[in-house]
Amino acid sequence: MSNTPMAANPLTRAVLEIDEYVSGLGWDQPARLFALVDTARLRAEQPSLADRLGLGEESENSGLTPIEQDEVPTGKPLDEFLATIAWPDAVVGCALAVERLMLPPSAEAQVPKGLGEAALTKWVADHPDRQEVRMTVAVLRDGARESALRLREKDSATEVLTGSDLVPGLAEALAATFEEE
């Protein structure tokens, strides 16, 4: 993940690092969940794990290290799965990379009324203006958020759009994984 461009802050760098990693796996991938840990704390508290992750003292310190979690279940709605997650204190944030179909805002007026979820999904999939997009969204315990969007038709690191409010619903769902009961 060393080709990640320098970004303004550690969270943006982590999102771009995850986007680059997932991009290297190709398209049509399942959702992938990542814990974000403080790199310096990881080196200090778990040096053998830091070594296995290639985080030696001489390596670039991005501030946050993404650690991929077990597979996200495919048979359960994403929001239901995220509602089951509780992170240990060592995890300072989390990120999710997921592929979806998007329509341009101009297509909203064309959506037939009264479609159920399955029919709407099929309608979007069949729409001529649909775009395949990979969204990587990260949140920190302190409320910071960042996202990266990559369109399949413009699948290049130089075409990745970043911003803190690109996917607010997913960011909210991820932030909820840090809320105390």
Side-chain angles (χ1 to χ4, degrees), residues 35-180:
L36 299 176
V37 297
D38 179 271
T39 303
R41 182 176 174 187
L42 178 64
R43 279 190 194 123
E45 295 179 4
Q46 296 191 28
S48 63
L49 176 58
D51 287 343
R52 285 198 312 268
L53 294 172
L55 301 174
E57 290 298 328
E58 69 285 345
S59 70
E60 177 186 332
N61 181 359
S62 67
L64 295 170
T65 297
I67 300 175
E68 188 169 4
Q69 304 300 291
D70 291 335
E71 284 188 26
V72 174
T74 55
K76 188 177 210 176
L78 196 53
D79 57 340
E80 288 180 22
F81 167 70
L82 291 175
T84 67
I85 295 174
W87 297 103
D89 290 341
V91 175
V92 298
C94 66
L96 184 78
V98 63
E99 296 175 12
R100 291 292 185 256
L101 292 177
M102 282 184 17
L103 291 176
S106 60
E108 284 183 30
Q110 302 168 9
V111 177
K113 302 288 184 234
L115 289 182
E117 189 173 334
L120 179 60
T121 299
K122 180 173 178 8
W123 185 84
V124 170
D126 293 340
H127 196 283
D129 295 332
R130 75 185 178 285
Q131 298 263 345
E132 290 180 75
V133 63
R134 181 179 303 115
M135 304 175 284
T136 304
V137 179
V139 299
L140 296 180
R141 283 184 189 271
D142 68 9
R145 299 172 177 198
E146 189 61 69
S147 305
L149 296 181
R150 181 186 291 251
L151 295 175
R152 190 171 192 158
E153 72 176 26
K154 295 182 178 183
D155 192 3
S156 163
T158 61
E159 296 287 339
V160 175
L161 178 64
T162 60
S164 60
D165 293 322
L166 298 178
V167 192
L170 185 50
E172 286 293 327
L174 289 171
T177 67
F178 291 104
E179 293 175 3
E180 300 294 324

